[in-house]
Amino acid sequence: MSLSEQMKFIVQELNKEPFNKSYNLISFDSLEPLQLLQVLNDVLAIIDPKQKVDIREEAADQTAVRLLQFLRVLKYKPPENVSMSEFRAGLVQGEKPVVFPILAWLLQRVPELQKRAYLAKFLVKIDVPAEIMGDEEVAESTSRWYEELMEQFKDLHKQSEHLKNSGFNTGEIRKDITNMEEEKEQLLKRIERLRRKVESHPNSQKMMTVAKNLRVERDREKRLAAQKQEQLTTV
């Protein structure tokens, strides 16, 4: 996408949930570099709430390091025609040719990046103090234990994702239970109406006795048929 196409897409997405901005092309294009960096930071904060910062209250070098580290976690790759030093400088200075492509890339894949940021909290190896790592036995056991925990987390997360994608929906199950309870209530009311109708009949007691006897005979007939079938199969 060209820079103008990227800006159009960015404005369109920022005016939607969950950003709820009210930009137009003119107002967005008129943002100062620091304001544009804040917009970038706001988008990153939707992906990971820990990124929620007022960059006016943060030193410029800290902002640069934090943004670069998080973009690395999200696996953002700068355009091939831009050197890393140019990319860093353009990001720190809030230059549109650098910030616009980042925003466009982020806004195209927010849910995916939210998951990536969440997983990164558990899958990025932590720095262990040198005095601990100096003990070879401790270093080996600690490293092995940490890697085992990471693998367990991966497996559990895969199981969780599988359940989410398997059609198992608690909301739908609750809805089905509610519907069944309503159907049960309607059936009970219908049975009660029929019972009252039968009881009001002059020969109700005789009819109930006949119905009971008929049910007993049908059950007996089923048992005899089952016994006969069992005998035939054993012969």
Side-chain angles (χ1 to χ4, degrees):
M1 287 191 288
S2 66
L3 211 59
S4 60
E5 290 173 331
Q6 287 176 349
M7 183 171 66
K8 185 177 179 180
F9 171 75
I10 293 166
V11 168
Q12 176 182 321
E13 294 302 309
L14 289 177
N15 289 340
K16 298 178 182 177
E17 292 279 354
F19 308 102
N20 297 317
K21 304 293 186 181
S22 55
Y23 293 122
N24 57 46
L25 293 177
I26 295 174
S27 63
F28 188 75
D29 194 39
S30 301
L31 292 177
E32 296 293 329
L34 192 63
Q35 293 174 314
L36 187 57
L37 272 181
Q38 186 63 59
V39 171
L40 172 59
N41 199 90
D42 292 344
V43 172
L44 293 175
I46 292 294
I47 294 170
D48 182 359
K50 288 185 178 180
Q51 301 299 319
K52 190 173 183 179
V53 173
D54 185 339
I55 60 175
R56 294 172 300 180
E57 301 174 359
E58 186 178 45
D61 58 336
Q62 291 179 329
T63 300
V65 170
R66 181 174 56 81
L67 294 180
L68 286 167
Q69 285 180 342
F70 192 53
L71 288 173
R72 192 175 298 115
V73 167
L74 299 180
K75 299 183 180 179
Y76 175 76
K77 294 181 180 179
E80 294 181 358
N81 60 344
V82 178
S83 68
M84 201 60 205
S85 59
E86 291 174 332
F87 176 75
R88 290 195 194 96
L91 180 61
V92 171
Q93 296 167 17
E95 295 179 357
K96 294 175 186 177
V98 172
V99 177
F100 278 14
I102 299 174
L103 281 171
W105 185 83
L106 294 172
L107 292 169
Q108 288 177 49
R109 42 180 68 79
V110 171
E112 171 193 337
L113 296 177
Q114 286 174 327
K115 184 186 296 184
R116 188 173 296 174
Y118 168 75
L119 293 176
K121 298 174 187 176
F122 304 96
L123 300 180
V124 173
K125 289 192 176 182
I126 58 175
D127 293 326
V128 181
E131 58 269 22
I132 295 179
M133 295 302 290
D135 186 318
E136 185 175 344
E137 184 178 346
V138 172
E140 183 180 352
S141 61
T142 302
S143 177
R144 185 170 61 250
W145 176 66
Y146 185 67
E147 289 175 0
E148 286 175 358
L149 288 177
M150 287 174 64
E151 290 302 317
Q152 289 177 25
F153 173 79
K154 289 179 185 178
D155 290 339
L156 289 172
H157 184 264
K158 285 179 182 177
Q159 293 176 31
S160 173
E161 289 298 300
H162 176 70
L163 286 174
K164 288 178 183 177
N165 298 325
S166 65
F168 181 79
N169 188 313
T170 55
E172 291 181 0
I173 291 175
R174 290 194 191 98
K175 185 178 179 181
D176 289 341
I177 291 173
T178 301
N179 290 337
M180 285 189 288
E181 287 176 346
E182 291 176 354
E183 290 175 5
K184 178 183 176 183
E185 186 66 24
Q186 294 296 324
L187 184 58
L188 289 173
K189 289 179 180 178
R190 184 179 177 188
I191 291 172
E192 182 61 22
R193 286 197 301 270
L194 289 171
R195 187 184 65 79
R196 288 198 298 266
K197 186 176 180 180
V198 169
E199 288 179 349
S200 65
H201 195 279
N203 297 321
S204 62
Q205 192 60 44
K206 184 177 180 180
M207 290 171 63
M208 292 291 287
T209 302
V210 170
K212 181 179 179 181
N213 291 337
L214 177 62
R215 186 167 62 250
V216 170
E217 288 301 317
R218 283 182 174 172
D219 290 343
R220 182 170 173 274
E221 182 182 359
K222 287 180 181 178
R223 287 197 302 272
L224 290 173
Q227 290 174 4
K228 181 179 179 181
Q229 183 63 34
E230 184 178 352
Q231 290 172 359
L232 287 173
T233 56
T234 55
V235 173

